[in-house]
C-alpha cells in the first residue's frame, strides 16, 4: 500500500515537474486518438452504408402471361419461395398493380400509355434476401419453373457491387491498422523523448539498487495517465464532431438514408480509451528499456 | 571482501581498462585506489557493481562470484555496496531527505521507518537542518555529505567512493574524509579512488596504485607516490 502511494506520488510529481513534456505527450495522444477515432467513425458509417446498398439487391421473378398462371400456381410458388431460408421477404405484384405502377411512373406524360389496350404486363414476385450474396443460388432455383417467364436481378451489377464493397471494407481495415501503427509510433516516440531527458535519474536509481520494476512503475503510471487523459478528450471531440457532421451530411444527402446510429458509441469510446492506456503504458515500458541496462 | 583474480577488461576496440589484476581486500580495510586518469580506477569500481563485465578473470564481492550473479539480482548486490561519486549523483528533484529515503524505499522499507532512519543519518553527517533542501540549494560539500548519507543508510558492508573529494576544496575534503573514516570504524570496508595526494599521504592507509590498467604498487601503509 505504502509502495503504491509512493509510486503514485513519484508519477504525478514528475508529470507536474516536466509539464512541458507532459503537455507535448498529451497533445500527441489527443491528436492521434482524434484521427483514429475519426477513422473508426468513418469506417462504421461507411460500412453501414455499404450494407444498406447491398440490401437493395432484389430478385424480380416475372410470371408468364398468355396464359397467366392460375391463382393456385401463384399461391404454390409463393409458399415455396417463402419456405427458402435465404429469403427475407417476398411480395407478390399482381398484373393490376404492375399497371398502376407504370401509370404512376408516367403520370407526367400519360400520352405514352394511351395506345395501351388491356394489360400486357406480367405479374411478378419481388424477393429480398437475408444475405444478398446468395442471390445467384436463389435465382437459379426458378429455372425451369413452369409459371416463371424470366428472373431478373441485375447479375452484373450485383457482382460488381459485391466486389466493390468487399474491396472497400478491406481498404478501410488496412487504413485502421496503418493509422494504429502510426499512433503507436508517434506516442511511444514522444514518451521516449521525455524519458531520455531523465536518463541520468534512471541511472542514479539503478546505482542505488532500485530494481527495474521499482523504477518502471512510476513511468508506467505516467504513461497510463497521459494516455487516458489524451484519449478521454479525444473521445469527447470525436463523438461531438460525429453527431454534428452526420447531421449535416444527412441534410445534404437527402437521396440516401445515412444511418446515424451506425456508430457504436460505446465500442468507439472503449477502443480509444484502451488504445490510449495500452500505448501509454507500453510506450513508457519500452522507452525505459534501454536505460535500464546498467 | 573483494577478490580480483587475473581480471582483464578491454574496451573495444583495444583500449585497456584493466590488465591481469589480482588482489584481495579484507573486510574492514580502508583502501586508497590511486593513479592518473585512465589508469583503470573507474573500471575497477564499475566491475565491482557489475556495471561492467570482465573479459577475463573473476571478480567476487563478499564471497560471491559476480559472473554467476543473475541480471535481476544486480540491484540486490548494489544495495550492499554504498556508492559515492565525484559528481554526487543526487536525484535533482528530491530533497536531501528524499534522496536518502530513496535508498531505503528501494529495499522495501516502509515510508515511516525510512523517514526516521534517513533523518538520523542526515544528522550524523551534520545536515539535519538541510533535510528540505534540494541539491541545487546546497554546496558541493553538503551534497557530497548527502550522497554519503545515502550510501551508508543501509549500513552496507562495503562503501565505494570514486573521487569523492574531486570537486571540493581542501577544507571540505577533510570533513568528507573524516566521515568516511568514521564509517570505516563501524566495520564497513571503504574503497576510495582518488587523486588527492595530500589526503592519501596524511591517512597512511593501504594504497593500491594503478597505471595503464596494471597494479604497479600495493602497500599496507602507503603514501600517494613512491616512498
Amino acid at each position: 500500500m505504502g509502495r503504491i502511494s509512493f509510486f503514485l506520488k513519484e508519477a504525478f510529481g514528475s508529470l507536474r515537474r516536466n509539464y512541458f513534456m507532459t503537455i507535448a505527450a498529451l497533445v500527441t495522444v489527443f491528436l492521434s486518438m482524434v484521427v483514429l477515432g475519426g477513422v473508426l467513425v468513418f469506417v462504421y458509417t461507411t460500412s453501414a452504408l455499404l450494407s444498406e446498398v447491398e440490401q437493395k439487391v432484389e430478385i424480380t421473378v416475372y410470371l408468364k402471361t398468355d396464359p397467366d398462371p392460375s391463382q393456385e400456381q401463384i399461391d404454390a410458388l409463393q409458399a415455396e419461395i417463402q419456405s427458402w431460408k435465404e429469403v427475407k421477404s417476398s411480395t407478390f405484384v399482381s398484373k393490376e398493380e404492375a399497371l398502376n405502377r407504370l401509370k404512376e411512373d408516367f403520370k407526367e406524360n400519360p400520352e405514352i400509355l394511351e395506345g395501351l389496350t388491356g394489360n400486357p404486363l406480367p405479374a411478378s414476385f419481388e424477393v429480398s434476401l437475408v444475405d444478398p450474396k446468395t442471390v445467384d443460388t436463389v435465382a437459379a432455383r426458378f429455372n425451369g419453373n413452369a409459371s416463371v417467364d424470366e428472373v431478373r436481378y441485375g447479375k452484373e451489377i450485383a457482382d460488381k457491387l459485391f466486389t466493390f464493397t468487399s474491396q472497400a471494407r478491406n481498404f478501410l481495415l488496412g487504413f485502421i491498422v496503418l493509422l494504429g501503427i502510426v499512433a503507436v509510433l508517434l506516442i511511444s516516440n514522444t514518451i521516449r523523448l521525455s524519458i531520455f531527458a531523465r536518463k541520468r535519474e534512471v541511472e542514479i536509481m539503478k546505482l542505488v539498487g532500485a530494481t527495474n520494476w521499482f523504477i518502471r512503475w512510476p513511468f508506467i503510471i505516467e504513461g497510463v495517465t497521459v494516455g487516458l487523459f489524451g484519449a478521454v478528450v479525444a473521445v469527447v471531440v470525436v463523438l461531438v464532431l460525429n453527431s454534428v457532421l452526420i447531421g449535416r451530411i444527412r441534410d445534404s444527402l437527402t437521396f440516401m438514408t445515412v444511418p446515424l446510429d451506425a456508430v457504436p458509441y460505446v465500442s468507439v469510446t472503449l477502443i480509444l480509451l484502451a488504445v490510449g492506456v495500452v500505448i501509454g503504458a507500453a510506450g513508457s515500458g519500452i522507452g525505459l528499456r534501454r536505460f535500464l541496462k546498467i | 571482501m573483494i577478490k580480483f583474480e587475473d581480471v582483464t577488461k578491454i574496451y573495444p576496440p583495444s583500449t585497456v581498462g584493466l590488465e591481469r589484476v589480482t588482489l584481495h581486500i579484507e573486510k574492514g580495510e580502508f583502501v586508497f585506489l590511486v593513479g592518473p586518469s585512465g589508469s583503470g580506477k573507474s573500471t575497477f569500481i564499475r566491475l565491482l557493481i557489475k556495471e561492467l563485465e570482465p573479459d577475463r578473470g573473476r571478480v567476487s564481492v563478499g564471497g560471491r562470484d559476480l559472473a554467476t550473479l543473475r541480471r535481476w539480482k544486480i540491484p540486490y548486490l548494489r544495495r550492499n555496496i554504498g556508492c559515492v561519486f565525484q559528481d554526487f549523483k543526487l536525484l535533482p528533484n528530491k530533497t536531501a531527505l528524499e534522496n536518502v529515503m530513496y535508498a531505503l524505499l528501494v529495499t522495501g522499507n516502509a515510508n515511516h521507518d525510512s523517514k526516521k532512519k534517513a533523518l538520523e543519518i542526515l544528522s550524523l553527517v551534520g545536515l539535519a537542518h538541510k533535510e528540505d533542501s534540494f541539491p541545487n540549494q546546497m554546496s558541493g560539500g553538503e551534497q557530497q555529505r548527502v550522497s554519503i548519507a545515502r550510501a551508508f543508510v543501509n549500513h552496507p558492508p562495503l562503501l565505494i567512493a570514486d573521487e569523492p573529494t574531486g570537486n571540493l576544496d581542501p577544507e571540505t575534503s577533510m570533513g568528507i574524509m573524516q566521515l568516511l573514516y568514521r564509517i570505516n570504524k563501524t566495520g564497513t570496508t571503504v574503497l576510495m579512488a582518488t587523486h588527492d595526494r595530500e589526503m592519501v599521504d596524511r591517512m597512511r592507509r593501504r594504497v593500491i596504485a594503478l597505471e595503464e590498467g596494471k597494479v604497479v604498487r600495493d602497500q599496507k601503509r602507503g603514501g600517494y607516490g613512491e616512498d
Side-chain angles (χ1 to χ4, degrees):
Chain A
M1 192 61 221
R3 199 164 258 231
I4 293 171
S5 72
F6 173 75
F7 289 149
L8 287 172
K9 219 181 100 198
E10 289 284 288
F12 290 112
S14 98
L15 281 174
R16 202 173 45 240
R17 251 192 329 271
N18 310 305
Y19 64 93
F20 186 77
M21 275 301 179
T22 305
I23 292 170
L26 267 173
V27 169
T28 312
V29 173
F30 166 70
L31 289 178
S32 315
M33 290 299 123
V34 164
V35 174
L36 190 63
V39 170
L40 276 179
V41 165
F42 178 74
V43 167
Y44 276 120
T45 309
T46 315
S47 176
L49 276 176
L50 289 176
S51 335
E52 202 163 284
V53 172
E54 283 177 353
Q55 287 304 325
K56 296 228 159 84
V57 173
E58 263 189 359
I59 305 175
T60 310
V61 184
Y62 293 103
L63 303 183
K64 288 198 168 131
T65 52
D66 220 18
D68 291 317
S70 68
Q71 190 60 43
E72 287 79 50
Q73 282 171 313
I74 291 170
D75 288 344
L77 187 55
Q78 169 115 32
E80 192 186 344
I81 292 172
Q82 276 170 349
S83 72
W84 296 337
K85 63 180 185 318
E86 293 93 342
V87 173
K88 191 158 78 182
S89 67
S90 73
T91 321
F92 177 68
V93 181
S94 65
K95 286 171 73 80
E96 294 71 35
E97 204 173 330
L99 186 61
N100 283 339
R101 283 192 192 173
L102 193 66
K103 281 181 181 158
E104 183 70 17
D105 285 347
F106 286 97
K107 71 170 179 243
E108 314 278 285
N109 10 18
E111 67 279 0
I112 293 178
L113 300 177
E114 266 164 20
L116 217 57
T117 52
N119 185 355
L121 298 176
S124 62
F125 281 106
E126 288 170 358
V127 181
S128 68
L129 302 167
V130 178
D131 177 3
K133 294 195 172 107
T134 57
V135 69
D136 277 330
T137 331
V138 176
R141 294 202 191 126
F142 293 103
N143 287 341
N145 190 303
S147 41
V148 172
D149 181 35
E150 194 184 0
V151 180
R152 274 202 204 158
Y153 61 95
K155 179 172 167 42
E156 282 181 11
I157 294 176
D159 285 350
K160 272 187 191 152
L161 181 68
F162 292 142
T163 321
F164 169 73
T165 53
S166 85
Q167 275 173 356
R169 286 208 172 94
N170 286 340
F171 173 76
L172 291 175
L173 205 70
F175 197 45
I176 286 188
V177 170
L178 210 69
L179 252 167
I181 294 172
V182 170
V184 169
L185 289 181
L186 211 62
I187 294 170
S188 62
N189 230 3
T190 311
I191 292 175
R192 203 153 60 212
L193 270 182
S194 89
I195 290 175
F196 190 78
R198 284 145 68 193
K199 183 174 174 245
R200 216 182 107 85
E201 260 179 77
V202 173
E203 206 178 289
I204 295 172
M205 293 168 179
K206 288 288 291 192
L207 288 175
V208 178
T211 57
N212 286 350
W213 276 108
F214 195 87
I215 298 171
R216 218 177 259 142
W217 273 120
F219 280 94
I220 288 182
I221 295 171
E222 277 179 53
V224 167
T225 310
V226 167
L228 191 64
F229 269 81
V232 164
V233 182
V235 164
V236 172
V237 168
V238 165
L239 294 186
V240 168
L241 273 184
N242 173 56
S243 61
V244 170
L245 282 184
I246 288 218
R248 289 231 179 115
I249 291 172
R250 193 163 52 167
D251 290 345
S252 55
L253 289 181
T254 41
F255 60 89
M256 235 171 170
T257 44
V258 177
L260 228 187
D261 49 355
V263 181
Y265 297 106
V266 178
S267 313
V268 170
T269 305
L270 289 180
I271 289 174
L272 290 188
L273 292 186
V275 170
V277 167
V278 169
I279 292 178
S284 296
I286 295 166
L288 255 185
R289 217 172 38 183
R290 43 189 292 226
F291 301 125
L292 289 176
K293 285 185 183 154
I294 295 177
Chain B
M1 174 56 64
I2 298 174
K3 250 189 214 173
F4 272 57
E5 285 168 69
D6 200 23
V7 172
T8 297
K9 173 72 197 174
I10 309 279
Y11 295 102
S14 60
T15 312
V16 175
L18 282 183
E19 196 178 335
R20 311 207 63 168
V21 169
T22 298
L23 56 82
H24 291 194
I25 293 174
E26 299 300 326
K27 191 171 173 351
E29 275 194 272
F30 194 115
V31 179
F32 286 111
L33 199 58
V34 302
S37 298
S39 58
K41 303 191 297 288
S42 292
T43 305
F44 190 95
I45 286 172
R46 293 172 72 192
L47 285 167
L48 277 178
I49 56 176
K50 208 172 155 88
E51 207 182 314
L52 292 176
E53 305 275 352
D55 293 308
R56 258 186 46 196
R58 186 192 301 256
V59 178
S60 53
V61 176
R64 173 92 218 213
D65 180 358
L66 296 193
T68 65
L69 189 73
R70 304 292 272 287
R71 216 181 162 75
W72 64 271
K73 277 194 166 169
I74 295 177
Y76 304 93
L77 166 75
R78 291 181 184 162
R79 290 173 197 177
N80 284 311
I81 304 177
C83 280
V84 178
F85 299 90
Q86 181 172 9
D87 58 354
F88 321 133
K89 292 205 193 296
L90 295 175
L91 294 166
N93 306 309
K94 292 190 186 299
T95 62
L97 179 68
E98 287 167 345
N99 262 290
V100 177
M101 277 174 70
Y102 194 86
L104 286 162
L105 291 170
V106 299
T107 65
N109 270 281
N111 208 47
H112 180 73
D113 293 344
S114 301
K115 190 167 179 182
K116 202 169 139 243
K117 282 187 197 160
L119 279 172
E120 271 170 28
I121 202 102
L122 272 180
S123 58
L124 203 73
V125 300
L127 284 178
H129 59 295
K130 291 279 184 180
E131 57 168 291
D132 290 327
S133 303
F134 287 93
N136 62 6
Q137 297 167 331
M138 290 185 278
S139 71
E142 286 168 341
Q143 288 184 61
Q144 195 57 296
R145 279 190 278 165
V146 173
S147 114
I148 290 174
R150 180 183 63 187
F152 189 60
V153 72
N154 282 316
H155 296 280
L158 172 61
L159 192 131
I160 300 173
D162 190 1
E163 307 265 5
T165 58
N167 283 343
L168 306 175
D169 59 71
E171 208 171 317
T172 317
S173 299
M174 208 51 229
I176 297 295
M177 281 313 298
Q178 274 163 4
L179 208 50
L180 292 177
Y181 180 73
R182 271 163 60 200
I183 287 174
N184 179 233
K185 280 272 167 227
T186 67
T188 295
T189 311
V190 175
L191 174 70
M192 172 172 164
T194 186
H195 271 130
D196 196 333
R197 173 179 293 269
E198 201 187 327
M199 201 67 71
V200 176
D201 286 343
R202 197 191 308 220
M203 298 278 289
R204 288 283 146 188
R205 292 295 165 139
R206 180 174 173 190
V207 174
I208 297 170
L210 291 172
E211 235 166 75
E212 290 175 355
K214 290 188 205 112
V215 176
V216 293
R217 185 159 58 94
D218 187 349
Q219 246 179 327
K220 250 288 156 292
R221 302 181 84 75
Y224 189 90
E226 307 269 357
D227 291 299

